[in-house]
Amino acid sequence: MKFWMRKLFVVLVTIFTFGTVVPQLSVDIDKNVKENSDVSDQNDRLLVVNDIEALEEIETEEKSDHSWQSLAFSIDNHSDLVTSFTAYSMIHAEQQSMMKFGSTIGDVIGDEFKQVILPKIEEAIAGLAERVPEDDLRQLVISENPTSGLGEKIFHVYHSNTGKDLIRFHVRRDHPPKEGYWFNFHYHTAEDEFLTHYDMGSIYWDKNTPPHWMSA
């Protein structure tokens, strides 16, 4: 059963069983109220335990079933694969970028990055996905280790079977004379052996030298 169906099942069980244990009336009403109260409490405890166990199992499945390959397995056609991979990639693109920036840089340029650069990243990924054959598209992976310090790497998209990069998203520090510091965002593709610099835009930092990437 898919995890969202199991979540729905847990919620429905909780709703339909809530408050359904009703004490039975008898001559000795106090005794029955106490007995049924004990049963109700026990049932409630069992229900809570069962719900917790079900949710823990769902969470475990989600953690072990979060890769693009596992998601792509249930998608039948190339068009849907392109759309889904692009959406999946954008979640990770933003996560890896914010990790790359660190809080010091991210607090300054984060909003502008999301407004100006992320749409360009989405466009580049969608274009790549359109050109990748269906079987290969199911095997793509997004790297999770942006470089710290002065390195340019934000994230790469590579093939899980070959380990070869298909597209590399980078950010470079530019310091034009008398213009302060800029962050230039660009990408390279395997189609031309990563030689061409595809510009996605630049964001101004300050006249002062920016801190290293991933600085807290």
Side-chain angles (χ1 to χ4, degrees):
M1 184 183 295
K2 292 185 178 180
F3 74 88
W4 63 268
M5 294 178 63
R6 301 185 61 182
K7 282 184 176 180
L8 181 61
F9 174 78
V10 170
V11 172
L12 291 176
V13 168
T14 304
I15 292 173
F16 287 120
T17 58
F18 181 77
T20 57
V21 179
V22 180
Q24 296 179 354
L25 296 177
S26 69
V27 176
D28 193 354
I29 189 169
D30 290 337
K31 179 179 179 181
N32 283 340
V33 167
K34 183 179 184 301
E35 289 176 351
N36 283 284
S37 177
D38 292 341
V39 171
S40 178
D41 290 344
Q42 183 178 4
N43 287 341
D44 288 344
R45 285 194 296 271
L46 289 174
L47 179 59
V48 170
V49 170
N50 289 336
D51 285 354
I52 291 174
E53 290 177 348
L55 289 173
E56 287 176 346
E57 186 175 351
I58 290 168
E59 290 174 357
T60 300
E61 288 182 2
E62 288 177 340
K63 290 177 181 178
S64 62
D65 197 36
H66 70 284
S67 69
W68 164 244
Q69 289 93 328
S70 62
L71 296 173
F73 181 77
S74 61
I75 302 175
D76 297 328
N77 63 77
H78 188 263
S79 178
D80 289 344
L81 277 170
V82 170
T83 301
S84 299
F85 179 71
T86 302
Y88 173 90
S89 298
M90 293 312 297
I91 295 173
H92 290 271
E94 182 172 345
Q95 291 175 345
Q96 296 305 309
S97 298
M98 294 301 110
M99 184 184 302
K100 169 79 172 178
F101 298 158
S103 59
T104 304
I105 295 177
D107 288 346
V108 177
I109 72 166
D111 290 342
E112 187 174 356
F113 170 80
K114 293 174 184 178
Q115 294 172 4
V116 177
I117 307 301
L118 267 183
K120 300 292 184 63
I121 293 177
E122 181 175 15
E123 182 180 338
I125 289 178
L128 170 71
E130 287 280 2
R131 300 190 298 271
V132 174
E134 187 171 316
D135 289 341
D136 289 327
L137 185 53
R138 289 191 172 89
Q139 301 301 322
L140 298 188
V141 179
I142 299 173
S143 68
E144 298 181 349
N145 298 297
T147 56
S148 57
L150 299 176
E152 293 190 7
K153 175 185 175 183
I154 305 175
F155 69 95
H156 296 171
V157 179
Y158 64 94
H159 197 289
S160 61
N161 291 339
T162 66
K164 294 183 178 180
D165 291 340
L166 277 72
I167 190 168
R168 299 170 179 171
F169 290 94
H170 291 172
V171 56
R172 184 186 65 216
R173 296 159 180 253
D174 289 341
H175 188 203
K178 300 180 181 181
E179 291 187 21
Y181 287 88
W182 294 75
F183 297 132
N184 173 259
F185 294 88
H186 57 277
Y187 65 91
H188 309 273
T189 72
E191 293 164 323
D192 63 358
E193 298 182 351
F194 307 104
L195 296 177
T196 303
H197 179 112
Y198 295 95
D199 187 79
M200 295 187 294
S202 296
I203 296 178
Y204 180 69
W205 168 252
D206 195 88
K207 291 183 178 180
N208 298 318
T209 304
H212 286 182
W213 299 119
M214 300 181 73
S215 296

